[in-house]
Amino acid sequence: MKLTYTCLFVLFSVSFSFASTISGYIFDKSANEQLVGATVTLAPGNFKASSMLNGKYQVNNVTPGSYRIKVSFIGYRPIDTTLVVSAGSDIRLNFYMVSANSSLNEVVVTAKSNKESDQYSKRAEQRANNVMNIVSANSIAISPDITVANVMARVSGVSVERGNTGDGQFAIIRGMDPRYNTTLINGVKIPSPDNKQRYVPLDIFPSDLIERIEVSKSLTPDMEGDASGGVINMVMKTAPDQLRIEGNLGAGYSQLFSMRPFQGFNNSTVNSKSPAEILGIGVPAAISDFPYQNLITSSTKTPVNSNFSLTVGDRFLNKKLGVIFSGSYQNTYAGNNTSRLVENATLGPAHGPDAEMTQVFPDYLNRQYSSLTNRLGLVSNIDYKFNKDNSISLFGIYAQLNENRVRITDDLLLGNYSYHGYTGGFQESYETQTRKQLQSIYSAILHGDNKLADSFTANWSVAFSQAKQELPDMATFETTQQISPNTSGTATSLTYGPLAVRPESRQWSHNTDKDISGYLNLKYDTKINDHKTLFLLGGMVRHKTRDNFDNTYHLNAPPDQDSTYQKYVSIPASKFAFIPTSDAVGNAASNAGVYTFTENVEAGYAGAKYFINDRFDVLFGLRVESTSQVYDSSLPATIAGKTANISYLDFLPSLNAKYGLSKNQALRLSYFRSILRPGFSDLIPYLDNTGFGQDNFPTQGNPALQHSVIDNFDFRYEVFPSGLDQFMVGAFYKNIANPIEYALVQTNFSADLTLSPYNFGTAHNYGVEMVFRKFFGDVGVSGNYTYTHSLINSTKEFDYNDPADNTFHKTFVNQPRPLQGQAAHIGNVSLLYKNTKNGLDAQLAFVYTGERINTLSLYKDLDNWERPTLNLDFSAQKEFSQHYIIYIKVNNLLNTPYRLVVKQQNKAYSGDNKLPIQDSPNYATIENDKFYSRYLLGFRFKF
């Protein structure tokens, strides 16, 4: 229906006529959310404007007269009306648009909001029952990120652990190790393909499958209790209200491989099963069962990265039936150059009780990683709406990440002489390791929403999920040669001996994790003393089974007939034998890495949400969780930890209060108790050499480990002004009983170190968070900052010789420190540009992560610390005809390195016996990784 607006303005001077301005905001009528990119046109004339990031539009220099004004936006009914403009007038006019799919049919949801928009995410944060941050699909699309893990680095209070390609893998929320987080898909917990831990590697998920990412930092009674850091809920794309077709294709490259070749291998030659799985455990293998072909590497210069995605969805049967399919494939060449000083397990004493023990570095490693990753994601969802109160959906997802990795290592055994100003070496070894890693996650979820009575509703889910990882035939080939300096002290020349073949190792490992889960949530809406009250009741059950297999073979290199060693000619020409012959059976028969693990979790909860008044509501309740675990390994019966039966019961109260200061401002206060269940390999004494962190140390479980109990407190002030602007500031505190952290322990009298988990008494973790977003027309700035402080005590060894009588003293001291992986300062700042008229978006994103402990040392003051990092990424896109987009994404513009240090005076920083990679006299650098920039250019379409 047309409306006529007549605007009159009395001029302060009758001598002149002035051009007019028409401005205002454009809203979604149902959700009352500002719409970004709506078009306003005036006829006659060439007057046109688009709504900006805050929903505001402005048409300038409009001459007096009568105009026809039209407002249009994809997915909404156009507005068509008339307007009379007087001379020099300043007209304020808001428009409220209605979804094109609104209908009187009771089956259709009227004026459905776009759940992928920034506006929807902002309103969802505002209306949430708990403390939450949400990232929309729209924000993800225009960001520099193509995986969920990298997206997480931009969320308030979140940092990420990165793998050997520099990409994020695991999220650290509020300084809590990834083990304290839970990952959900559409509200259902999923298992992890990781061979050690429960937490899910987020780099397995392509970001273009996502509708939004919800990060909950406080729990409500209906949420599972093992999430003390936070809950990461990936909400996948759902069926649209009308036909939707969109896709993406892109290509790029990694700068690293324009500087050196990419090293690859033929993974088709890899045996998927170990000889023990084919022949039987305990049956000797033959040398011919270990082909050499997967150890032959080849070089490629500047290989091309590529990615593709496609989404198709629509509704049928009078909008009752919704169907969507979304698929994504990414092919990425990445890697890094690593320099590493190997730490010795045993150290000499300090020179007195007030001196410090000095770390010793017997080896210097130079490593080149080359990884080809294939990332595949497939999502489908079918939903049927019987009526506005009853619906059912079937959702399925398959995510896969395959990595073919080559690691080339140059290992220099350091000596006691100087060469060219640095410590020289006595022996140099060259290692080639090839690894094929296959990870996958599959989940099927049947979900229903039902209205049982006028005030009684239910939602339920039944889910089957499976996660797998395979590491078939991780092969290592090594050669070595002796180095002789021409003199002791300061050498001027070196003599290299012949290359000798070293023993070879071949390892097979795989694990499968299966979940069968059921959820039921009941809600009853009523009033108590004329105050609205919502009663909550429900529960869940999960049956989890995990099996793990690990088998390693050691192949010795017999010497040549005329020598004490085997001279290296080539990999195919190298000869191996089982010496002793018992090595031919591998170690599966007595390996704790061959195990089965069963876990049953049963939970029930009751709670209520009570509305004290229109501004103040409280959600409170009690959750009870029962955990029962049984595992059995292949260890001999005489070894502690071969098998175990573990059970415990936890009572988990929670409270979330929200007080609205105004329509756009609120205060939140929450308390909840949560738990941390140890990971599978945390408990089983399984020595795993497949690589942890940066491939530096093996890991081994601890059967005595206890589960952790955490009390969590949160407070937040939040304000949501007009448009996409927002501001939040809050504080949190966590008291952690029996925190679990990994520490280095010495496994034997040689210089071998192993990472093992331990409980460390009681820890305290607290901090403040701030989130802001502000737009000034087409330009905006958004960001967040988190300060986190934690305190925990570790027992450290401190040895010294008393200078008075030269007596040796071995002592153990308590040393306070922050939680492992917790950075005191985390910050994100993004400079944004969005011109809806020209269809141009750009983002320059900074991510700062402060220093944090990476690895705990046996000894006082010798923990490994990550140096602070500042990452800079850039993205931009240009839209054409509302259907086509060209984009560019650039990651790691500053070539930010990953560096590990020991915080002690660096005695090897200068002098004739300097150590490599040292950049400060105030700390000893033990690792320096360089990843270099990555570039991607692509094209998107949407209809």
Side-chain angles (χ1 to χ4, degrees):
M1 182 179 66
K2 295 185 176 181
L3 302 174
T4 301
Y5 293 86
T6 304
C7 302
L8 302 176
F9 187 81
V10 179
L11 301 175
F12 68 89
S13 171
V14 296
S15 303
F16 300 96
S17 295
F18 296 91
S20 301
T21 298
I22 304 171
S23 63
Y25 292 88
I26 302 175
F27 296 88
D28 177 305
K29 184 176 182 179
S30 174
N32 200 32
E33 297 172 355
Q34 291 89 345
L35 297 177
V36 179
T39 302
V40 180
T41 59
L42 273 70
N46 188 27
F47 300 104
K48 187 177 182 180
S50 297
S51 56
M52 296 180 289
L53 294 177
N54 58 359
K56 184 179 180 180
Y57 75 93
Q58 184 166 311
V59 184
N60 298 317
N61 302 319
V62 181
T63 56
S66 180
Y67 293 90
R68 183 178 182 182
I69 184 168
K70 290 184 178 181
V71 184
S72 60
F73 191 58
I74 293 177
Y76 288 80
R77 294 178 178 175
I79 296 174
D80 189 342
T81 187
T82 59
L83 179 69
V84 176
V85 179
S86 299
S89 57
D90 186 4
I91 301 173
R92 299 284 187 267
L93 189 59
N94 296 337
F95 293 98
Y96 295 83
M97 306 192 73
V98 176
S99 169
N101 299 291
S102 61
S103 170
L104 296 178
N105 189 318
E106 68 171 359
V107 176
V108 180
V109 178
T110 303
K112 180 181 176 181
S113 298
N114 178 9
K115 294 184 179 181
E116 296 186 3
S117 69
D118 294 331
Q119 293 94 329
Y120 180 89
S121 294
K122 172 187 169 181
R123 298 306 173 198
E125 286 181 341
Q126 188 175 8
R127 297 166 183 164
N129 287 322
N130 55 344
V131 177
M132 181 183 290
N133 298 106
I134 301 178
V135 185
S136 70
N138 179 68
S139 292
I140 294 172
I142 63 176
S143 77
D145 308 311
I146 62 173
T147 70
V148 169
N150 287 336
V151 171
M152 288 298 299
R154 310 193 191 280
V155 177
S156 171
V158 178
S159 60
V160 295
E161 286 186 1
R162 301 184 184 273
N164 55 61
T165 65
D167 286 320
Q169 285 187 302
F170 305 109
I172 298 173
I173 302 178
R174 290 178 164 179
M176 304 288 282
D177 187 86
R179 70 182 66 250
Y180 291 92
N181 304 328
T182 296
T183 302
L184 317 178
I185 292 180
N186 290 353
V188 173
K189 183 188 288 188
I190 57 172
S192 172
D194 190 87
N195 64 333
K196 301 179 184 66
Q197 303 297 345
R198 298 173 180 271
Y199 50 84
V200 177
L202 298 175
D203 59 333
I204 197 173
F205 299 102
S207 61
D208 44 14
L209 300 179
I210 303 295
E211 185 174 274
R212 64 186 182 276
I213 301 174
E214 302 172 341
V215 182
S216 296
K217 297 174 180 176
S218 68
L219 302 184
T220 53
D222 57 328
M223 300 174 70
E224 294 193 48
D226 56 345
S228 307
V231 178
I232 303 166
N233 183 29
M234 293 176 286
V235 181
M236 299 298 174
K237 291 182 177 180
T238 53
D241 290 331
Q242 59 189 7
L243 178 63
R244 173 185 180 183
I245 303 174
E246 61 184 30
N248 161 52
L249 49 94
Y253 76 98
S254 301
Q255 183 185 0
L256 173 64
F257 301 122
S258 65
M259 305 170 64
R260 69 163 171 89
F262 173 86
Q263 299 290 330
F265 70 100
N266 185 359
N267 66 72
S268 66
T269 64
V270 174
N271 288 331
S272 60
K273 292 185 177 181
S274 76
E277 293 176 277
I278 298 171
L279 304 173
I281 293 179
V283 178
I287 293 298
S288 59
D289 293 327
F290 304 90
Y292 65 81
Q293 283 83 357
N294 55 317
L295 281 163
I296 304 298
T297 62
S298 59
S299 299
T300 306
K301 189 71 172 180
T302 320
V304 177
N305 300 332
S306 58
N307 61 281
F308 311 91
S309 69
L310 178 67
T311 297
V312 180
D314 201 356
R315 300 201 74 85
F316 308 94
L317 302 179
N318 195 25
K319 306 296 183 180
K320 290 185 178 182
L321 177 65
V323 180
I324 192 169
F325 168 81
S326 188
S328 176
Y329 177 78
Q330 298 173 5
N331 187 78
T332 305
Y333 295 85
N336 78 72
N337 294 338
T338 293
S339 299
R340 170 83 190 192
L341 288 166
V342 179
E343 299 158 274
N344 210 5
T346 55
L347 301 181
H351 299 297
D354 298 322
E356 62 181 16
M357 298 179 70
T358 302
Q359 184 57 263
V360 178
F361 305 103
D363 287 80
Y364 173 55
L365 307 179
N366 269 312
R367 282 176 169 165
Q368 292 185 348
Y369 289 87
S370 297
S371 294
L372 170 59
T373 57
N374 306 124
R375 185 177 290 107
L376 174 67
L378 300 173
V379 167
S380 65
N381 192 67
I382 301 173
D383 70 85
Y384 188 83
K385 298 177 180 178
F386 299 96
N387 51 49
K388 64 184 179 65
D389 296 320
N390 295 276
S391 64
I392 193 170
S393 66
L394 178 62
F395 168 83
I397 182 172
Y398 178 78
Q400 175 183 290
L401 180 65
N402 294 342
E403 180 188 28
N404 296 319
R405 191 189 80 176
V406 174
R407 189 186 74 186
I408 306 295
T409 302
D410 184 332
D411 181 355
L412 183 66
L413 180 63
L414 299 175
N416 56 0
Y417 69 94
S418 172
Y419 183 65
H420 288 176
Y422 288 89
T423 299
F426 279 124
Q427 179 178 287
E428 194 159 13
S429 300
Y430 309 92
E431 179 194 87
T432 297
Q433 183 193 84
T434 61
R435 189 178 82 174
K436 179 180 180 180
Q437 182 182 30
L438 304 95
Q439 292 182 315
S440 64
I441 296 175
Y442 166 75
S443 185
I445 304 170
L446 182 65
H447 177 82
D449 291 285
N450 303 103
K451 186 173 184 179
L452 306 179
D454 286 344
S455 301
F456 192 22
T457 60
N459 67 73
W460 53 269
S461 297
V462 178
F464 171 78
S465 302
Q466 177 177 282
K468 294 179 65 176
Q469 177 173 265
E470 298 175 67
L471 286 166
D473 197 5
M474 187 171 75
T476 302
F477 179 86
E478 184 181 358
T479 60
T480 187
Q481 62 183 155
Q482 300 301 313
I483 304 174
S484 301
N486 66 333
T487 183
S488 59
T490 301
T492 57
S493 64
L494 303 177
T495 302
Y496 288 83
L499 283 171
V501 178
R502 296 284 298 156
E504 180 178 291
S505 69
R506 310 291 281 262
Q507 181 174 6
W508 280 261
S509 175
H510 58 76
N511 54 270
T512 303
D513 197 339
K514 297 179 182 179
D515 283 0
I516 300 175
S517 306
Y519 301 79
L520 177 63
N521 301 295
L522 303 174
K523 298 180 181 180
Y524 181 68
D525 195 350
T526 186
K527 287 188 176 182
I528 297 179
N529 295 328
D530 208 31
H531 292 273
K532 182 179 178 181
T533 305
L534 184 66
F535 286 103
L536 311 172
L537 186 68
M540 61 80 60
V541 293
R542 177 182 300 104
H543 175 67
K544 177 187 287 290
T545 57
R546 165 172 281 236
D547 62 77
N548 198 90
F549 178 84
D550 181 81
N551 193 21
T552 301
Y553 294 85
H554 296 284
L555 287 69
N556 217 323
D560 296 332
Q561 290 184 352
D562 59 349
S563 177
T564 58
Y565 61 90
Q566 183 181 146
K567 294 178 182 178
Y568 171 74
V569 177
S570 67
I571 291 178
S574 300
K575 298 178 177 60
F576 294 94
F578 292 114
I579 305 173
T581 56
S582 59
D583 284 352
V585 299
N587 66 351
S590 59
N591 185 351
V594 181
Y595 67 83
T596 58
F597 197 111
T598 301
E599 178 181 86
N600 292 307
V601 176
E602 300 169 346
Y605 72 88
K609 184 176 183 180
Y610 184 69
F611 293 80
I612 299 172
N613 54 43
D614 291 340
R615 293 187 173 188
F616 192 16
D617 62 76
V618 179
L619 173 61
F620 58 92
L622 175 66
R623 184 179 185 90
V624 181
E625 291 195 356
S626 171
T627 304
S628 176
Q629 300 169 327
V630 177
Y631 75 78
D632 185 31
S633 73
S634 292
L635 280 173
T638 56
I639 302 297
K642 168 185 167 53
T643 186
N645 193 323
I646 306 166
S647 61
Y648 41 89
L649 184 69
D650 292 284
F651 294 86
L652 309 173
S654 65
L655 181 146
N656 287 267
K658 179 182 176 182
Y659 180 75
L661 300 172
S662 67
K663 180 181 178 181
N664 297 320
Q665 298 182 73
L667 297 175
R668 294 181 183 270
L669 180 67
S670 71
Y671 162 77
F672 65 97
R673 173 167 287 184
S674 57
I675 62 172
L676 168 65
R677 298 182 182 94
F680 314 104
S681 66
D682 286 343
L683 293 167
I684 301 172
Y686 153 43
L687 188 65
D688 181 18
N689 291 286
T690 56
F692 184 93
Q694 294 293 313
D695 281 0
N696 296 322
F697 305 103
T699 61
Q700 188 167 26
N702 175 7
L705 205 63
Q706 302 294 309
H707 81 293
S708 308
V709 178
I710 305 96
D711 289 302
N712 309 263
F713 300 84
D714 270 275
F715 173 78
R716 187 166 87 178
Y717 165 75
E718 55 191 32
V719 56
F720 297 87
S722 61
L724 299 178
D725 296 351
Q726 65 177 178
F727 177 76
M728 305 177 190
V729 61
F732 60 89
Y733 171 76
K734 298 176 184 293
N735 184 81
I736 311 166
N738 288 322
I740 299 173
E741 303 209 328
Y742 270 77
L744 287 171
V745 295
Q746 188 175 351
T747 54
N748 50 47
F749 291 105
S750 66
D752 292 334
L753 291 173
T754 298
L755 281 165
S756 290
Y758 291 89
N759 294 116
F760 284 89
T762 300
H764 306 276
N765 184 27
Y766 60 87
V768 294
E769 284 184 336
M770 180 178 67
V771 179
F772 61 91
R773 184 166 57 196
K774 177 64 179 175
F775 294 96
F776 307 90
D778 294 337
V779 179
V781 59
S782 68
N784 56 74
Y785 167 75
T786 302
Y787 169 76
T788 309
H789 178 83
S790 57
L791 183 63
I792 188 172
N793 284 302
S794 295
T795 300
K796 300 283 190 174
E797 182 177 337
F798 177 67
D799 304 335
Y800 69 93
N801 284 330
D802 192 327
D805 54 10
N806 201 33
T807 56
F808 174 78
H809 297 267
K810 183 174 184 176
T811 65
F812 293 91
V813 297
N814 280 329
Q815 183 173 20
R817 59 169 177 84
L819 287 168
Q820 191 173 18
Q822 178 250 300
H825 304 280
I826 299 173
N828 293 268
V829 176
S830 293
L831 303 178
L832 309 171
Y833 177 79
K834 185 177 184 69
N835 189 310
T836 55
K837 180 179 180 180
N838 298 325
L840 184 63
D841 287 270
Q843 179 175 344
L844 189 65
F846 299 82
V847 178
Y848 174 81
T849 304
E851 67 174 10
R852 57 189 181 185
I853 292 178
N854 175 275
T855 308
L856 300 176
S857 173
L858 287 163
Y859 300 102
K860 180 177 178 287
D861 297 325
L862 295 180
D863 293 334
N864 294 179
W865 288 75
E866 295 179 25
R867 291 288 293 160
T869 58
L870 178 63
N871 291 86
L872 177 62
D873 304 312
F874 173 77
S875 61
Q877 66 179 41
K878 168 66 177 175
E879 184 175 1
F880 301 91
S881 305
Q882 296 184 331
H883 296 295
Y884 307 102
I885 293 173
I886 293 177
Y887 65 86
I888 183 172
K889 298 176 186 284
V890 185
N891 298 102
N892 196 18
L893 277 167
L894 300 178
N895 186 26
T896 301
Y898 168 90
R899 290 182 296 168
L900 286 180
V901 302
V902 174
K903 291 184 174 182
Q904 63 175 200
Q905 288 299 116
N906 191 354
K907 300 176 183 178
Y909 176 69
S910 59
D912 291 336
N913 290 84
K914 295 192 297 291
L915 287 173
I917 66 173
Q918 302 309 306
D919 55 10
S920 173
N922 299 319
Y923 54 80
T925 301
I926 60 174
E927 184 170 339
N928 188 13
D929 301 352
K930 292 185 177 180
F931 305 97
Y932 299 95
S933 302
R934 205 178 301 168
Y935 304 86
L936 181 66
L937 179 66
F939 168 76
R940 282 200 297 266
F941 60 89
K942 55 181 180 179
F943 296 97

